[in-house]
Amino acid sequence: MSQQMKRSLISECTPHETVVLKGWVKKIRHLGNISFLLLRDRTGVMQCVLEKEWAGYKVEVESVVQVIGKVIATDKTELGVEVLVEDVQLLNSAEQVPFEVNKKKLQVGLDQMLNSRTLSLRHERVQAIFTIKSMLAHAFSEYLLQNDFTRIFTPKIVSQGAEGGANVFQLHYFEKEAYLAQSPQFYKQMMVAGGLERVFEVAPVYRAEHHNSSRHLNEYISLDVELAFIEDFYEVMQLETDVIRYMFEKVQQYCVKELQLLQIDIPVITKIPKLTVTEAQDILQKEYRKESPIGDLDSEGEKLLGKYVKETYNSDFVFITHYPKETRPMYTMPNQENPSVTDSFDLLYKGLEITSGAQRIHNYTMLVRSFEEKGLNVENFQSYIDTFRYGCPPHGGFAIGLERLVYKFLNLSNVREASAFPRDCTRLVP
Amino acid sequence: MSQQMKRSLISECTPHETVVLKGWVKKIRHLGNISFLLLRDRTGVMQCVLEKEWAGYKVEVESVVQVIGKVIATDKTELGVEVLVEDVQLLNSAEQVPFEVNKKKLQVGLDQMLNSRTLSLRHERVQAIFTIKSMLAHAFSEYLLQNDFTRIFTPKIVSQGAEGGANVFQLHYFEKEAYLAQSPQFYKQMMVAGGLERVFEVAPVYRAEHHNSSRHLNEYISLDVELAFIEDFYEVMQLETDVIRYMFEKVQQYCVKELQLLQIDIPVITKIPKLTVTEAQDILQKEYRKESPIGDLDSEGEKLLGKYVKETYNSDFVFITHYPKETRPMYTMPNQENPSVTDSFDLLYKGLEITSGAQRIHNYTMLVRSFEEKGLNVENFQSYIDTFRYGCPPHGGFAIGLERLVYKFLNLSNVREASAFPRDCTRLVP
């Protein structure tokens, strides 16, 4: 019978039909002559009623089963239906699980959650994180493709780091030394200058930083954007605002169940306030007597500023602009009126930096000088630098750290929860 | 004036309007009192007519300029319009280019094409490759999302290779030894078993192979799919057929200009023929007196079979199925009737393998035995193996090599042309 019948999804069951359901045993309860098996598939949970010869059916929780039965209407379940079981078949048995995965809240520590990913993912709230992450990444790509951007793929094995050498993972590449890319920065600029004009990439980047905080990952997904023929870096910030708005709207539209589960209200993003880094530092000083590092904000400063911006502008986001030259990479465009600062920005979200962006230098001579000022040997970056000898248009871009975005979006307690298999200083497994 | 006016794209110019165009100088010709500047942006090429004070305007080819002028109808250009120039502004000058980028066909060797990517990308036929690659990747994702798959992101820094150790790049990960992932195989299975049921990933994979052929890359983009609750591996092949059909249709629909440029006709994919590896070997023997390695095809055999399938079935594609156990990874499901072969397949496209796929083993005991039979130490794969102790559904999947697909789809002469910045045994720059 089951061979001829197609599997039905739990969310699609309607009364009176006979269905084949497949999924995991969430729970089983025995009450004398009747048993209740809660079956979970990717779309929901179905109460399956076992009577007569099926009453008392023995099965370990989290086993995989196939249930054949008749859907009947009921007011006793959330779905408004339950299934009267005609046949149960064990597809794959489970051993006793090491922790309870079917409580309302998953009560395990972070380490166990990550060590037992297959099991922690079974929890619908944990699964919801990755459904939403998938949608955010897709919406990012979709918006940009609709706006004439080309999706690019650039190498992660590189001969030079994009930031000038620090914090890179080294590897043996045949007879050569190579590194894992910290960012696709050089490559996206080269493809913009190659005539594609507008490009984006969704790919991992690598930072060999020894940080072991709740907001750092050593491998993460960078949502990278670069576009040519901009008038100024305000255009880049406007694009990022529009992209994020679109991403949030898509999640709002397609992840209703997941947002409910995680109790997330998505704010409407209209305009994101902007503060220069000097203004931001002054606010921190005046409001919280908080001193900042020269030309920058530290993580405590970011947090306080997030609070301030929420209270003052009712915004989860704030752009911090015009960072001094010393704190930004060598390819960052200096400000025309005040060349000691740059046309650069960070985007803070709920008090955490999730983006760096800027207009980039497109003039060959200016770029070479900027490399030299940073003490970098231009010869090591020849193929990148040569790009600027053959007609590079004015351009800029930004990158969003996807896991940080998800972490803050869903109010998680650690960025690692936004990565299925996070990599940090000590974690390499699973 | 230009500050107030928005840039127009060349493809959008209509007669009578005054426009600001920005792009690259494709060509400039001087004919006495008149000059013609061909301006190229991402959407096309515009003939700009320079008269009076602008006649004889000097500019190096591939420089970036802004042109302001009036669009007028003409029957002398393909677009049906040209621009009567009122103002030209040099945005960034180019040096003399080392090779001609504006010929109908780009006449440079592969090495120079790759070394000077910024310049070779300026050629519209080269650029078209990457526009189509972008669309193929997007269509792949879109189809799967529409069919209830979740996009996943799995680590590329791993503690073990997915194929059991050979051909991996090694790196220093803090105090540990680590590797670059050869495939997301283990991780996609873990997320399927975690309850997501249907997942896909678009991400780089790494093979430390010493091959230096026209069809190998050491870093490439893998379009990975894995899905649960399949009846058999024919379902996996059907899904791949449907995905590829959708990808081709999307390119057909959105990349009209690019397909014309590259003179590509897309065949309608209906059904893809299937041959067992034994049948394929017999055909090679009978038709071409070609001997094959035990239980497998070599690259010459693949080519001949591509020819045979085209002639016999008028198909660019063929599935080769039922590879013997010895030639497939340890997680491959043995065939129920003949356990010496597996429920596995390759997909050949125009005589080149672009996919491996299979049903996977979902039973814990069977999997452990399979690892042991291959001489692998189960302890080294503990977190993967543990997945199968807690209710893993029947599942299977496949992976498409994106650059190989593009290479064959566009009849390129080398897979490297399908990668903006390819990595091979000797190439690490740019």
Side-chain angles (χ1 to χ4, degrees):
Chain A
M1 182 174 191
S2 72
Q3 285 306 309
Q4 286 106 56
M5 281 181 63
K6 237 186 120 221
R7 174 195 186 200
S8 294
L9 294 171
I10 286 172
S11 66
E12 295 168 359
C13 289
T14 51
H16 310 306
E17 58 174 351
T18 296
V19 291
V20 180
L21 300 179
K22 298 185 188 189
W24 289 267
V25 176
K26 182 176 172 169
K27 211 178 208 169
I28 187 152
R29 278 185 307 147
H30 305 290
L31 299 170
N33 289 334
I34 191 167
S35 301
F36 295 96
L37 186 160
L38 292 183
L39 185 74
R40 186 188 61 235
D41 72 11
R42 68 177 191 272
T43 69
V45 177
M46 178 64 80
Q47 173 160 292
C48 302
V49 185
L50 300 136
E51 291 179 324
K52 297 180 195 154
E53 77 267 35
W54 290 106
Y57 179 73
K58 293 268 175 302
V59 65
E60 192 64 48
V61 165
E62 293 306 317
S63 293
V64 179
V65 297
Q66 171 184 287
V67 171
I68 301 178
K70 195 162 183 187
V71 183
I72 48 175
T74 175
D75 52 10
K76 280 176 247 153
T77 69
E78 242 180 83
L79 285 177
V81 287
E82 59 186 10
V83 166
L84 204 58
V85 172
E86 292 161 15
D87 184 70
V88 185
Q89 198 185 314
L90 182 67
L91 298 180
N92 207 356
S93 61
E95 295 177 23
Q96 198 182 355
V97 292
F99 56 89
E100 177 61 79
V101 300
N102 288 312
K103 289 208 168 147
K104 195 157 186 211
K105 270 202 167 179
L106 186 65
Q107 277 157 344
V108 292
L110 182 64
D111 263 348
Q112 187 157 22
M113 176 192 286
L114 300 177
N115 288 339
S116 306
R117 245 321 174 198
T118 313
L119 281 175
S120 61
L121 271 170
R122 298 266 173 87
H123 195 277
E124 51 188 1
R125 289 198 190 186
V126 176
Q127 214 169 101
I129 297 170
F130 297 96
T131 310
I132 288 170
K133 186 180 183 180
S134 167
M135 184 50 68
L136 285 170
H138 184 67
F140 171 82
S141 303
E142 192 172 72
Y143 182 85
L144 292 168
L145 283 162
Q146 284 168 4
N147 284 277
D148 222 5
F149 283 75
T150 302
R151 176 169 184 175
I152 60 170
F153 302 91
T154 71
K156 304 308 153 202
I157 299 179
V158 297
S159 64
Q160 285 288 337
E163 310 290 326
N167 293 328
V168 286
F169 289 113
Q170 204 180 15
L171 80 151
H172 308 297
Y173 190 77
F174 299 107
E175 276 70 49
K176 295 177 184 132
E177 284 304 303
Y179 306 93
L180 291 183
Q182 291 167 303
S183 117
Q185 185 58 36
F186 293 170
Y187 294 106
K188 58 181 188 167
Q189 289 184 264
M190 287 164 86
M191 292 191 87
V192 158
L196 288 169
E197 292 191 20
R198 308 176 139 224
V199 301
F200 73 96
E201 183 164 15
V202 177
V205 295
Y206 300 90
R207 307 283 165 108
E209 293 166 353
H210 271 275
H211 297 297
N212 208 345
S213 80
S214 62
R215 63 188 193 283
H216 284 96
L217 291 171
N218 295 100
E219 174 174 18
Y220 67 88
I221 300 299
S222 182
L223 305 177
D224 261 277
V225 174
E226 200 78 18
L227 72 160
F229 296 110
I230 57 171
E231 292 294 330
D232 52 42
F233 80 126
Y234 293 100
E235 217 176 305
V236 182
M237 285 186 268
Q238 186 55 51
L239 174 66
E240 180 166 16
T241 307
D242 295 340
V243 171
I244 291 179
R245 183 187 302 120
Y246 187 86
M247 291 164 76
F248 283 18
E249 283 170 1
K250 278 273 153 167
V251 171
Q252 182 86 274
Q253 191 180 347
Y254 289 101
C255 303
V256 177
K257 192 181 78 178
E258 288 79 8
L259 291 172
Q260 261 170 7
L261 262 173
L262 296 167
Q263 296 170 285
I264 301 300
D265 274 329
I266 305 183
V268 179
I269 302 167
T270 47
K271 220 180 139 185
I272 295 178
K274 292 184 189 75
L275 297 169
T276 67
V277 66
T278 314
E279 287 166 350
Q281 290 181 331
D282 288 350
I283 288 167
L284 289 174
Q285 226 296 321
K286 226 186 267 172
E287 299 285 326
Y288 309 99
R289 298 186 174 281
K290 159 74 189 159
E291 296 297 330
S292 295
I294 294 169
D296 211 348
L297 306 175
D298 57 20
S299 68
E300 197 204 333
E302 289 181 358
K303 261 186 218 165
L304 290 170
L305 205 67
K307 189 169 162 316
Y308 174 84
V309 169
K310 185 70 185 175
E311 287 164 6
T312 314
Y313 303 101
N314 191 28
S315 174
D316 288 337
F317 291 93
V318 58
F319 282 116
I320 311 297
T321 64
H322 296 96
Y323 286 85
K325 236 171 155 171
E326 298 70 42
T327 64
R328 303 302 271 202
M330 59 284 187
Y331 46 75
T332 314
M333 180 66 95
N335 185 266
Q336 268 198 315
E337 279 149 38
N338 177 5
S340 72
V341 301
T342 54
D343 283 352
S344 61
F345 63 90
D346 276 4
L347 179 60
L348 308 190
Y349 177 37
K350 297 181 182 173
L352 179 72
E353 183 213 312
I354 61 159
T355 285
S356 282
Q359 179 161 354
R360 327 294 186 184
I361 297 172
H362 58 276
N363 178 282
Y364 175 72
T365 316
M366 187 191 266
L367 187 65
V368 169
R369 207 181 313 121
S370 180
F371 267 72
E372 286 167 355
E373 277 172 21
K374 295 264 183 188
L376 295 165
N377 186 349
V378 173
E379 279 170 33
N380 294 338
F381 301 89
Q382 204 60 54
S383 65
Y384 169 68
I385 298 260
D386 278 350
T387 298
F388 300 86
R389 292 168 59 196
Y390 302 110
C392 178
H395 66 287
F398 63 89
I400 303 172
L402 177 58
E403 286 81 1
R404 282 193 170 191
L405 179 69
V406 172
Y407 160 41
K408 284 295 165 185
F409 185 67
L410 300 179
N411 303 321
L412 306 176
S413 57
N414 194 307
V415 71
R416 287 166 182 77
E417 291 184 55
S419 174
F421 307 99
R423 292 293 174 257
D424 62 29
C425 301
T426 57
R427 181 173 286 279
L428 191 56
V429 173
Chain B
M1 183 177 191
S2 72
Q3 284 306 310
Q4 286 106 54
M5 282 180 62
K6 236 185 121 223
R7 175 195 186 199
S8 294
L9 293 171
I10 286 171
S11 66
E12 295 168 357
C13 289
T14 52
H16 311 307
E17 60 174 349
T18 297
V19 291
V20 180
L21 300 179
K22 298 183 189 190
W24 288 267
V25 176
K26 180 174 175 172
K27 209 178 210 170
I28 187 153
R29 278 185 307 146
H30 305 288
L31 300 170
N33 289 334
I34 192 166
S35 300
F36 295 95
L37 186 159
L38 292 184
L39 185 74
R40 186 189 62 237
D41 73 11
R42 70 178 189 270
T43 69
V45 176
M46 178 64 81
Q47 173 160 291
C48 303
V49 185
L50 300 136
E51 291 179 324
K52 295 182 196 152
E53 78 268 33
W54 289 106
Y57 178 75
K58 293 270 176 300
V59 65
E60 192 65 49
V61 165
E62 293 306 317
S63 293
V64 179
V65 297
Q66 171 184 285
V67 170
I68 301 178
K70 196 162 181 186
V71 184
I72 48 174
T74 175
D75 52 11
K76 280 175 250 152
T77 69
E78 241 179 83
L79 285 176
V81 287
E82 60 186 9
V83 166
L84 204 59
V85 172
E86 291 161 15
D87 184 69
V88 184
Q89 200 186 314
L90 182 67
L91 298 180
N92 207 357
S93 61
E95 296 178 22
Q96 198 181 357
V97 291
F99 56 88
E100 178 61 78
V101 300
N102 289 312
K103 289 205 169 152
K104 196 156 185 216
K105 271 203 167 179
L106 186 64
Q107 276 157 345
V108 292
L110 182 64
D111 264 348
Q112 187 158 22
M113 176 192 285
L114 300 177
N115 288 337
S116 305
R117 246 318 175 200
T118 314
L119 281 175
S120 61
L121 271 171
R122 298 267 172 86
H123 195 278
E124 51 189 359
R125 289 197 189 188
V126 177
Q127 214 168 100
I129 298 169
F130 297 97
T131 310
I132 289 170
K133 186 180 184 182
S134 166
M135 183 51 68
L136 285 169
H138 184 67
F140 171 82
S141 304
E142 193 171 72
Y143 182 84
L144 293 167
L145 283 162
Q146 283 168 4
N147 284 277
D148 222 6
F149 283 75
T150 302
R151 178 169 182 175
I152 61 170
F153 301 91
T154 71
K156 304 308 152 201
I157 299 180
V158 297
S159 65
Q160 284 288 339
E163 310 291 327
N167 293 327
V168 286
F169 290 113
Q170 203 180 15
L171 81 150
H172 308 296
Y173 191 76
F174 299 109
E175 277 70 47
K176 295 179 183 129
E177 284 305 303
Y179 306 93
L180 291 184
Q182 291 168 302
S183 117
Q185 185 59 37
F186 293 169
Y187 294 106
K188 57 181 190 168
Q189 289 184 265
M190 288 164 85
M191 292 191 86
V192 158
L196 289 169
E197 292 192 21
R198 309 177 138 223
V199 302
F200 73 96
E201 182 164 15
V202 178
V205 295
Y206 301 90
R207 307 284 165 107
E209 294 167 351
H210 271 276
H211 296 299
N212 207 346
S213 80
S214 62
R215 63 187 193 285
H216 284 95
L217 291 171
N218 295 99
E219 174 175 18
Y220 68 88
I221 300 300
S222 183
L223 306 177
D224 262 276
V225 174
E226 199 79 17
L227 73 160
F229 296 110
I230 57 171
E231 292 296 329
D232 51 43
F233 79 127
Y234 293 101
E235 216 176 305
V236 182
M237 286 187 268
Q238 186 56 52
L239 175 66
E240 179 166 16
T241 307
D242 295 339
V243 172
I244 291 180
R245 183 187 301 119
Y246 186 86
M247 290 165 77
F248 282 18
E249 283 170 0
K250 278 273 155 167
V251 170
Q252 183 86 275
Q253 189 180 349
Y254 289 101
C255 302
V256 178
K257 193 180 78 180
E258 288 78 7
L259 291 172
Q260 261 170 5
L261 262 173
L262 297 168
Q263 297 170 283
I264 302 299
D265 274 328
I266 306 183
V268 179
I269 303 167
T270 47
K271 220 180 140 183
I272 296 178
K274 291 183 190 76
L275 298 169
T276 68
V277 67
T278 314
E279 288 167 348
Q281 289 180 332
D282 288 350
I283 289 167
L284 289 175
Q285 225 295 323
K286 227 186 266 172
E287 300 285 326
Y288 309 101
R289 300 187 173 280
K290 159 76 189 158
E291 296 297 330
S292 295
I294 295 168
D296 210 349
L297 306 175
D298 59 19
S299 67
E300 198 203 334
E302 289 181 359
K303 260 185 218 165
L304 290 170
L305 205 67
K307 190 168 164 315
Y308 174 84
V309 170
K310 185 71 186 173
E311 287 164 5
T312 314
Y313 303 101
N314 192 30
S315 174
D316 288 337
F317 292 93
V318 59
F319 282 115
I320 310 297
T321 64
H322 296 95
Y323 287 85
K325 237 171 156 172
E326 299 69 42
T327 65
R328 304 301 271 202
M330 58 285 186
Y331 45 77
T332 313
M333 180 67 95
N335 186 267
Q336 270 198 313
E337 280 149 39
N338 176 6
S340 71
V341 302
T342 55
D343 283 351
S344 61
F345 63 90
D346 276 4
L347 179 61
L348 307 191
Y349 177 37
K350 296 179 181 173
L352 179 73
E353 182 213 313
I354 60 160
T355 286
S356 282
Q359 178 160 355
R360 328 292 185 182
I361 298 172
H362 58 276
N363 178 282
Y364 175 72
T365 315
M366 187 191 267
L367 187 65
V368 169
R369 206 181 314 120
S370 181
F371 266 72
E372 285 166 355
E373 276 173 20
K374 296 263 182 188
L376 296 165
N377 186 348
V378 172
E379 279 170 33
N380 295 338
F381 301 89
Q382 204 60 55
S383 64
Y384 169 68
I385 298 260
D386 278 349
T387 297
F388 300 85
R389 293 169 57 196
Y390 303 109
C392 178
H395 65 288
F398 63 88
I400 303 172
L402 177 58
E403 286 81 2
R404 283 193 170 190
L405 180 69
V406 173
Y407 160 42
K408 284 295 164 185
F409 185 68
L410 300 178
N411 302 322
L412 306 176
S413 57
N414 194 306
V415 70
R416 288 166 181 77
E417 290 183 56
S419 174
F421 306 100
R423 292 292 174 258
D424 62 31
C425 300
T426 57
R427 181 173 287 279
L428 192 55
V429 173

